Amino acid sequence: MGKYILGRLGSAIVTLWIVITVTFFLMHAIPGGPFTSEKKLPPEVLENIEARYHLNDPLLKQYGDYLVNILKLDLGPSFKFQGRTVNDLIREGFPVSATIGIFAILLALGIGVPAGIFSALNHNKWQDSMLMLGAIIGVSIPSFVMATLLQFIFSFQLGWFPPALWGMPSQVVLPVVALSVFPMAFVARLTRSSMLEVLAQDYVRTARSKGLSEAMVIVRHVLKNALIPAIAVMGPLTATLLTGTFVIERIFAIPGLGRYYVNSIYNRDYTAILGVTVFYAAFVLLMSLIVDVIYAMIDPRIKLTGKGD
Protein backbone atom coordinates (compact mmCIF):
# COMPACT_ATOMS: atom_id res chain seq x y z
CA MET A 1 0.00 0.00 0.00
CA GLY A 2 2.85 2.39 0.83
CA LYS A 3 4.45 1.88 -2.58
CA TYR A 4 1.11 2.37 -4.25
CA ILE A 5 0.50 5.68 -2.43
CA LEU A 6 4.02 6.93 -3.19
CA GLY A 7 3.54 6.10 -6.87
CA ARG A 8 0.25 7.96 -7.02
CA LEU A 9 1.76 10.90 -5.11
CA GLY A 10 4.65 11.10 -7.58
CA SER A 11 2.25 11.08 -10.52
CA ALA A 12 0.21 13.84 -8.88
CA ILE A 13 3.29 16.05 -8.38
CA VAL A 14 4.39 15.62 -12.00
CA THR A 15 0.86 16.37 -13.22
CA LEU A 16 0.69 19.50 -11.07
CA TRP A 17 4.05 20.70 -12.41
CA ILE A 18 2.81 20.22 -15.99
CA VAL A 19 -0.38 22.17 -15.20
CA ILE A 20 1.63 25.01 -13.65
CA THR A 21 4.07 25.14 -16.57
CA VAL A 22 1.44 25.05 -19.30
CA THR A 23 -0.76 27.63 -17.56
CA PHE A 24 2.17 29.96 -16.87
CA PHE A 25 3.44 30.06 -20.45
CA LEU A 26 -0.06 30.22 -21.94
CA MET A 27 -0.89 33.24 -19.77
CA HIS A 28 2.28 35.02 -20.85
CA ALA A 29 1.72 34.14 -24.52
CA ILE A 30 -1.47 36.19 -24.61
CA PRO A 31 -0.86 39.68 -26.04
CA GLY A 32 -1.14 42.58 -23.61
CA GLY A 33 -0.78 42.64 -19.87
CA PRO A 34 -2.70 43.23 -16.67
CA PHE A 35 -2.17 46.98 -16.88
CA THR A 36 -2.80 47.57 -20.58
CA SER A 37 -6.60 47.30 -20.53
CA GLU A 38 -7.07 50.37 -18.37
CA LYS A 39 -6.64 53.93 -19.57
CA LYS A 40 -3.32 54.43 -21.31
CA LEU A 41 -0.54 54.98 -18.81
CA PRO A 42 2.60 57.03 -19.44
CA PRO A 43 5.48 54.72 -20.41
CA GLU A 44 7.43 55.69 -17.28
CA VAL A 45 4.54 54.79 -14.98
CA LEU A 46 3.90 51.49 -16.79
CA GLU A 47 7.59 50.64 -16.57
CA ASN A 48 7.64 51.32 -12.84
CA ILE A 49 4.56 49.16 -12.26
CA GLU A 50 6.01 46.28 -14.27
CA ALA A 51 9.30 46.60 -12.39
CA ARG A 52 7.43 46.44 -9.08
CA TYR A 53 5.79 43.16 -10.02
CA HIS A 54 8.90 41.86 -11.88
CA LEU A 55 6.97 41.68 -15.15
CA ASN A 56 9.95 43.06 -17.07
CA ASP A 57 12.22 40.22 -15.94
CA PRO A 58 13.13 37.50 -18.49
CA LEU A 59 10.31 35.00 -18.84
CA LEU A 60 12.36 32.03 -17.63
CA LYS A 61 13.40 33.99 -14.53
CA GLN A 62 9.73 34.78 -13.81
CA TYR A 63 8.92 31.08 -14.27
CA GLY A 64 11.69 30.00 -11.91
CA ASP A 65 10.68 32.56 -9.29
CA TYR A 66 7.07 31.43 -9.54
CA LEU A 67 8.01 27.78 -8.98
CA VAL A 68 10.11 28.74 -5.94
CA ASN A 69 7.20 30.74 -4.52
CA ILE A 70 4.83 27.82 -5.16
CA LEU A 71 7.08 25.63 -3.02
CA LYS A 72 6.70 28.25 -0.27
CA LEU A 73 2.89 28.16 -0.79
CA ASP A 74 3.11 31.81 -1.90
CA LEU A 75 0.86 32.39 -4.92
CA GLY A 76 1.92 36.02 -5.28
CA PRO A 77 0.16 39.38 -5.15
CA SER A 78 -3.01 40.18 -7.04
CA PHE A 79 -2.52 42.83 -9.72
CA LYS A 80 -6.07 44.14 -9.45
CA PHE A 81 -6.96 43.76 -5.77
CA GLN A 82 -4.52 46.22 -4.26
CA GLY A 83 -2.85 45.15 -1.04
CA ARG A 84 -4.14 41.59 -1.26
CA THR A 85 -2.47 38.37 -2.28
CA VAL A 86 -3.88 35.45 -4.22
CA ASN A 87 -3.68 33.45 -1.00
CA ASP A 88 -6.03 36.04 0.57
CA LEU A 89 -8.51 35.68 -2.30
CA ILE A 90 -8.52 31.88 -2.00
CA ARG A 91 -8.74 32.07 1.80
CA GLU A 92 -11.80 34.31 1.46
CA GLY A 93 -13.60 32.60 -1.42
CA PHE A 94 -12.91 28.91 -0.84
CA PRO A 95 -14.92 28.51 2.42
CA VAL A 96 -18.01 29.89 0.67
CA SER A 97 -17.59 27.60 -2.34
CA ALA A 98 -16.78 24.64 -0.10
CA THR A 99 -19.92 25.20 1.99
CA ILE A 100 -22.12 24.94 -1.07
CA GLY A 101 -20.08 22.04 -2.42
CA ILE A 102 -20.27 19.97 0.77
CA PHE A 103 -24.05 20.27 0.96
CA ALA A 104 -24.33 19.52 -2.77
CA ILE A 105 -22.20 16.36 -2.39
CA LEU A 106 -24.22 15.16 0.59
CA LEU A 107 -27.47 15.79 -1.27
CA ALA A 108 -26.20 14.10 -4.44
CA LEU A 109 -24.98 11.00 -2.62
CA GLY A 110 -27.87 10.89 -0.16
CA ILE A 111 -30.41 10.72 -2.96
CA GLY A 112 -28.40 9.44 -5.95
CA VAL A 113 -27.05 6.23 -4.40
CA PRO A 114 -30.35 5.02 -2.84
CA ALA A 115 -32.18 5.94 -6.06
CA GLY A 116 -29.73 3.89 -8.13
CA ILE A 117 -30.01 0.91 -5.77
CA PHE A 118 -33.81 1.09 -5.67
CA SER A 119 -33.96 1.39 -9.45
CA ALA A 120 -31.72 -1.66 -9.96
CA LEU A 121 -33.72 -3.75 -7.51
CA ASN A 122 -36.86 -2.86 -9.46
CA HIS A 123 -35.31 -3.37 -12.89
CA ASN A 124 -37.74 -2.92 -15.80
CA LYS A 125 -40.59 -1.96 -13.47
CA TRP A 126 -42.36 1.39 -13.47
CA GLN A 127 -40.26 2.59 -10.52
CA ASP A 128 -37.11 1.94 -12.54
CA SER A 129 -38.50 3.75 -15.57
CA MET A 130 -39.58 6.80 -13.57
CA LEU A 131 -36.28 7.13 -11.73
CA MET A 132 -34.20 6.76 -14.88
CA LEU A 133 -36.41 9.29 -16.66
CA GLY A 134 -35.70 11.73 -13.85
CA ALA A 135 -31.97 10.89 -14.03
CA ILE A 136 -31.87 11.51 -17.77
CA ILE A 137 -33.56 14.87 -17.28
CA GLY A 138 -31.10 15.66 -14.48
CA VAL A 139 -28.00 15.04 -16.60
CA SER A 140 -29.50 16.74 -19.66
CA ILE A 141 -30.46 20.11 -18.20
CA PRO A 142 -27.51 22.54 -17.95
CA SER A 143 -26.87 23.91 -14.47
CA PHE A 144 -27.57 27.51 -15.48
CA VAL A 145 -31.00 26.49 -16.82
CA MET A 146 -31.75 24.57 -13.61
CA ALA A 147 -30.61 27.53 -11.49
CA THR A 148 -32.79 29.96 -13.41
CA LEU A 149 -35.75 27.59 -13.22
CA LEU A 150 -35.36 27.21 -9.46
CA GLN A 151 -35.16 30.98 -9.02
CA PHE A 152 -38.31 31.51 -11.10
CA ILE A 153 -40.40 28.88 -9.28
CA PHE A 154 -39.23 29.01 -5.67
CA SER A 155 -38.24 32.68 -5.44
CA PHE A 156 -40.39 34.73 -7.81
CA GLN A 157 -43.53 32.56 -7.93
CA LEU A 158 -43.70 30.88 -4.51
CA GLY A 159 -41.44 33.26 -2.56
CA TRP A 160 -39.98 30.46 -0.46
CA PHE A 161 -36.29 31.30 -0.86
CA PRO A 162 -34.24 34.42 -1.71
CA PRO A 163 -33.26 34.50 -5.41
CA ALA A 164 -29.61 35.42 -4.76
CA LEU A 165 -26.92 36.79 -2.42
CA TRP A 166 -25.20 35.10 0.50
CA GLY A 167 -25.22 35.18 4.29
CA MET A 168 -28.47 33.54 5.47
CA PRO A 169 -29.19 29.78 5.63
CA SER A 170 -32.16 30.21 3.28
CA GLN A 171 -29.80 31.58 0.62
CA VAL A 172 -27.91 28.29 0.55
CA VAL A 173 -30.85 26.12 -0.55
CA LEU A 174 -31.30 27.01 -4.21
CA PRO A 175 -27.57 27.05 -5.13
CA VAL A 176 -27.09 23.68 -3.43
CA VAL A 177 -30.04 22.12 -5.26
CA ALA A 178 -28.97 23.59 -8.60
CA LEU A 179 -25.42 22.34 -8.08
CA SER A 180 -26.41 18.84 -6.95
CA VAL A 181 -28.88 17.91 -9.68
CA PHE A 182 -26.32 16.77 -12.25
CA PRO A 183 -24.07 14.73 -9.85
CA MET A 184 -27.19 13.27 -8.22
CA ALA A 185 -28.55 12.03 -11.55
CA PHE A 186 -25.11 10.86 -12.67
CA VAL A 187 -24.48 8.89 -9.47
CA ALA A 188 -27.96 7.33 -9.67
CA ARG A 189 -27.38 6.10 -13.23
CA LEU A 190 -23.89 4.86 -12.39
CA THR A 191 -25.04 3.04 -9.26
CA ARG A 192 -27.94 1.41 -11.10
CA SER A 193 -25.81 0.07 -13.95
CA SER A 194 -23.15 -1.18 -11.54
CA MET A 195 -25.77 -2.83 -9.33
CA LEU A 196 -27.30 -4.64 -12.30
CA GLU A 197 -23.88 -5.93 -13.34
CA VAL A 198 -23.04 -7.19 -9.84
CA LEU A 199 -26.49 -8.74 -9.30
CA ALA A 200 -25.86 -10.95 -12.35
CA GLN A 201 -22.60 -12.37 -10.95
CA ASP A 202 -22.34 -16.02 -9.95
CA TYR A 203 -21.32 -15.32 -6.36
CA VAL A 204 -24.54 -13.38 -5.82
CA ARG A 205 -26.61 -16.30 -7.11
CA THR A 206 -24.59 -18.59 -4.84
CA ALA A 207 -25.31 -16.37 -1.83
CA ARG A 208 -29.03 -16.48 -2.62
CA SER A 209 -28.93 -20.27 -3.04
CA LYS A 210 -27.53 -20.54 0.49
CA GLY A 211 -30.78 -19.13 1.79
CA LEU A 212 -29.55 -15.67 2.76
CA SER A 213 -32.21 -13.01 2.85
CA GLU A 214 -32.30 -10.53 -0.03
CA ALA A 215 -31.30 -7.69 2.32
CA MET A 216 -28.28 -9.67 3.56
CA VAL A 217 -27.21 -10.48 0.00
CA ILE A 218 -27.43 -6.83 -1.01
CA VAL A 219 -25.59 -5.49 2.03
CA ARG A 220 -22.86 -8.14 2.30
CA HIS A 221 -22.22 -9.14 -1.31
CA VAL A 222 -23.53 -6.51 -3.71
CA LEU A 223 -23.10 -2.98 -2.34
CA LYS A 224 -19.35 -3.14 -1.77
CA ASN A 225 -18.59 -3.96 -5.40
CA ALA A 226 -21.47 -2.02 -6.87
CA LEU A 227 -20.37 1.27 -5.30
CA ILE A 228 -16.79 1.13 -6.61
CA PRO A 229 -17.56 3.03 -9.86
CA ALA A 230 -19.45 5.70 -7.89
CA ILE A 231 -16.48 6.08 -5.52
CA ALA A 232 -14.11 6.38 -8.48
CA VAL A 233 -15.90 9.44 -9.87
CA MET A 234 -16.26 11.13 -6.50
CA GLY A 235 -12.68 12.43 -6.51
CA PRO A 236 -12.84 14.89 -9.40
CA LEU A 237 -16.55 15.47 -8.74
CA THR A 238 -15.90 16.47 -5.14
CA ALA A 239 -13.06 18.76 -6.12
CA THR A 240 -15.24 20.42 -8.75
CA LEU A 241 -18.10 21.02 -6.33
CA LEU A 242 -15.94 22.19 -3.42
CA THR A 243 -13.93 24.69 -5.44
CA GLY A 244 -17.06 26.30 -6.80
CA THR A 245 -18.78 26.45 -10.12
CA PHE A 246 -18.44 29.73 -11.92
CA VAL A 247 -21.92 29.70 -13.44
CA ILE A 248 -23.84 28.89 -10.26
CA GLU A 249 -21.91 31.44 -8.20
CA ARG A 250 -22.44 34.06 -10.90
CA ILE A 251 -26.20 33.45 -11.15
CA PHE A 252 -26.76 33.53 -7.37
CA ALA A 253 -24.24 36.36 -6.75
CA ILE A 254 -22.25 34.18 -4.35
CA PRO A 255 -18.83 35.53 -3.24
CA GLY A 256 -17.04 32.24 -3.79
CA LEU A 257 -13.84 31.22 -5.49
CA GLY A 258 -15.50 31.18 -8.90
CA ARG A 259 -16.22 34.92 -8.72
CA TYR A 260 -12.55 35.73 -8.19
CA TYR A 261 -11.55 33.42 -11.03
CA VAL A 262 -13.96 35.03 -13.50
CA ASN A 263 -12.98 38.55 -12.41
CA SER A 264 -9.30 37.71 -12.72
CA ILE A 265 -9.86 36.59 -16.31
CA TYR A 266 -11.74 39.80 -17.14
CA ASN A 267 -8.96 41.88 -15.53
CA ARG A 268 -6.08 39.82 -16.97
CA ASP A 269 -4.86 39.30 -13.43
CA TYR A 270 -2.07 36.81 -14.22
CA THR A 271 -1.21 35.79 -10.70
CA ALA A 272 -4.84 35.32 -9.66
CA ILE A 273 -5.57 33.16 -12.72
CA LEU A 274 -2.44 31.11 -12.13
CA GLY A 275 -3.00 30.85 -8.39
CA VAL A 276 -6.62 29.72 -8.60
CA THR A 277 -5.77 27.28 -11.40
CA VAL A 278 -2.93 25.78 -9.36
CA PHE A 279 -5.16 25.57 -6.29
CA TYR A 280 -7.93 23.91 -8.29
CA ALA A 281 -5.53 21.43 -9.93
CA ALA A 282 -3.90 20.57 -6.60
CA PHE A 283 -7.30 20.01 -5.03
CA VAL A 284 -8.43 17.75 -7.89
CA LEU A 285 -5.22 15.73 -7.64
CA LEU A 286 -5.53 15.45 -3.86
CA MET A 287 -9.11 14.22 -4.05
CA SER A 288 -8.20 11.79 -6.84
CA LEU A 289 -5.35 10.47 -4.70
CA ILE A 290 -7.68 9.94 -1.73
CA VAL A 291 -10.22 8.17 -3.93
CA ASP A 292 -7.49 5.98 -5.45
CA VAL A 293 -6.38 4.90 -1.98
CA ILE A 294 -9.97 4.13 -0.97
CA TYR A 295 -10.45 2.33 -4.27
CA ALA A 296 -7.38 0.18 -3.62
CA MET A 297 -8.58 -0.63 -0.11
CA ILE A 298 -12.00 -1.70 -1.39
CA ASP A 299 -10.73 -3.61 -4.42
CA PRO A 300 -7.68 -5.76 -3.44
CA ARG A 301 -7.09 -6.67 -7.10
CA ILE A 302 -5.45 -3.28 -7.62
CA LYS A 303 -2.80 -3.99 -5.00
CA LEU A 304 -2.21 -7.56 -6.15
CA THR A 305 -1.95 -6.90 -9.88
CA GLY A 306 -0.62 -3.36 -9.83
CA LYS A 307 -3.31 -2.29 -12.28
CA GLY A 308 -4.54 1.25 -11.89
CA ASP A 309 -1.12 2.56 -10.92
Side-chain angles (χ1 to χ4, degrees):
M1 178 59 76
K3 184 178 178 181
Y4 177 81
I5 295 176
L6 285 177
R8 298 299 299 172
L9 188 61
S11 300
I13 292 174
V14 172
T15 304
L16 184 61
W17 171 72
I18 293 173
V19 170
I20 294 172
T21 302
V22 171
T23 309
F24 181 89
F25 286 105
L26 278 178
M27 287 304 308
H28 286 80
I30 299 174
F35 305 106
T36 56
S37 59
E38 300 175 345
K39 64 179 181 180
K40 190 173 179 57
L41 297 173
E44 298 81 9
V45 175
L46 183 61
E47 186 176 347
N48 288 334
I49 293 176
E50 290 181 343
R52 176 188 174 189
Y53 291 107
H54 304 286
L55 295 177
N56 51 3
D57 289 346
L59 189 57
L60 288 179
K61 183 178 186 306
Q62 293 184 48
Y63 173 66
D65 292 341
Y66 190 75
L67 289 181
V68 172
N69 290 332
I70 287 286
L71 293 176
K72 300 176 183 175
L73 301 181
D74 179 9
L75 298 175
S78 169
F79 293 148
K80 292 299 178 181
F81 296 93
Q82 294 297 321
R84 304 177 69 185
T85 65
V86 179
N87 296 59
D88 294 333
L89 302 182
I90 294 175
R91 196 176 299 118
E92 181 181 316
F94 179 64
V96 176
S97 299
T99 300
I100 300 173
I102 289 172
F103 284 115
I105 292 169
L106 293 176
L107 187 62
L109 291 179
I111 296 178
V113 171
I117 295 173
F118 184 77
S119 182
L121 296 178
N122 293 276
H123 188 219
N124 287 336
K125 297 179 181 177
W126 67 269
Q127 298 95 329
D128 181 27
S129 301
M130 294 300 295
L131 284 172
M132 286 304 101
L133 176 62
I136 291 173
I137 294 174
V139 297
S140 303
I141 298 180
S143 60
F144 66 90
V145 174
M146 181 60 67
T148 306
L149 194 61
L150 291 173
Q151 284 179 322
F152 176 75
I153 296 174
F154 295 103
S155 296
F156 300 115
Q157 297 298 316
L158 300 176
W160 290 359
F161 301 103
L165 299 180
W166 182 257
M168 297 187 299
S170 58
Q171 292 169 330
V172 179
V173 177
L174 294 186
V176 167
V177 175
L179 195 59
S180 65
V181 169
F182 175 82
M184 184 192 305
F186 184 71
V187 168
R189 286 170 55 85
L190 198 62
T191 303
R192 174 186 178 272
S193 61
S194 182
M195 279 283 295
L196 291 176
E197 183 179 345
V198 174
L199 285 170
Q201 297 296 317
D202 291 339
Y203 68 89
V204 175
R205 286 195 288 268
T206 302
R208 284 171 172 160
S209 66
K210 290 180 178 177
L212 294 177
S213 65
E214 187 66 15
M216 187 66 72
V217 172
I218 297 299
V219 173
R220 293 184 58 182
H221 298 283
V222 177
L223 280 182
K224 181 178 178 181
N225 292 324
L227 292 181
I228 288 177
I231 293 173
V233 302
M234 284 311 298
L237 192 60
T238 300
T240 301
L241 294 179
L242 290 184
T243 51
T245 60
F246 312 145
V247 176
I248 294 298
E249 292 185 0
R250 195 77 174 175
I251 291 175
F252 290 100
I254 296 171
L257 198 57
R259 182 188 66 171
Y260 288 120
Y261 194 70
V262 172
N263 288 337
S264 65
I265 293 173
Y266 287 151
N267 295 323
R268 303 171 66 84
D269 193 346
Y270 287 168
T271 50
I273 297 172
L274 276 167
V276 176
T277 302
V278 170
F279 178 78
Y280 178 79
F283 203 79
V284 170
L285 292 170
L286 175 64
M287 296 308 301
S288 298
L289 177 63
I290 293 173
V291 167
D292 285 343
V293 172
I294 296 174
Y295 196 91
M297 294 172 65
I298 294 176
D299 190 353
R301 291 172 299 180
I302 292 179
K303 288 185 292 185
L304 292 175
T305 63
K307 293 179 179 178
D309 287 345

